């Protein structure tokens, strides 16, 4: 049997803009409401067309208005190609434990 890749899980987040958040940049507002996502990740989602404001695609710099509904469709994070490499480390302090 061959291993099956994990299923792709997408989450749709709906955010409502209140009066206190008026004139905040879209990426900043979304990052404050979705702390599990970095602002950079949100900017990439916005550029990919996965974030809309009342059904309209807008830029990350768009200033939100009270009463608007923001929808953010979040898929799995893109895998990274990071590879560990051995590096010499000098031990500066070592306790007895």
């Amino acid at each position: 049997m061959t291993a099956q890749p994990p299923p792709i899980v997408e989450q749709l987040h709906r955010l409502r803009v209140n009066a206190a958040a008026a004139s905040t940049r879209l990426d900043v507002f979304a990052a404050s409401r979705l702390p599990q996502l970095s602002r950079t990740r949100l900017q990439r989602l916005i550029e990919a067309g996965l974030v809309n404001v009342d059904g309209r695609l807008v830029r990350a710099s768009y200033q939100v208005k009270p009463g608007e509904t923001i929808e953010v469709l979040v898929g799995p994070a893109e895998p990274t190609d990071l590879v560990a490499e051995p590096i010499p480390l000098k031990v500066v302090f070592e306790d007895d434990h």
Side-chain angles (χ1 to χ4, degrees), residues 35-48:
Q36 70 273 28
L37 299 175
S38 69
R39 186 168 160 207
T40 301
R41 175 102 190 270
L42 284 161
Q43 288 171 338
R44 289 187 181 136
L45 292 171
I46 293 166
E47 289 172 9

Side-chain angles (χ1 to χ4, degrees), residues 4-95:
Q4 297 272 334
I8 296 175
V9 178
E10 294 181 337
Q11 294 180 332
L12 178 63
H13 299 275
R14 283 193 179 91
L15 311 172
R16 190 88 167 150
V17 181
N18 59 19
S23 299
T24 302
R25 286 176 53 110
L26 173 60
D27 57 343
V28 173
F29 173 76
S32 72
R33 295 291 184 92
L34 301 170
Q36 70 273 28
L37 299 175
S38 69
R39 186 168 160 207
T40 301
R41 175 102 190 270
L42 284 161
Q43 288 171 338
R44 289 187 181 136
L45 292 171
I46 293 166
E47 289 172 9
L50 299 173
V51 178
N52 71 68
V53 178
D54 289 336
R56 299 179 328 262
L57 297 179
V58 296
R59 295 177 180 252
S61 60
Y62 174 80
Q63 293 183 347
V64 298
K65 298 172 185 66
E68 289 180 323
T69 300
I70 298 165
E71 291 184 338
V72 181
L73 182 62
V74 182
E78 294 179 15
T80 58
D81 295 331
L82 300 178
V83 178
E85 59 182 79
I87 57 172
L89 297 175
K90 180 179 175 186
V91 177
V92 178
F93 175 79
E94 191 172 339
D95 63 10

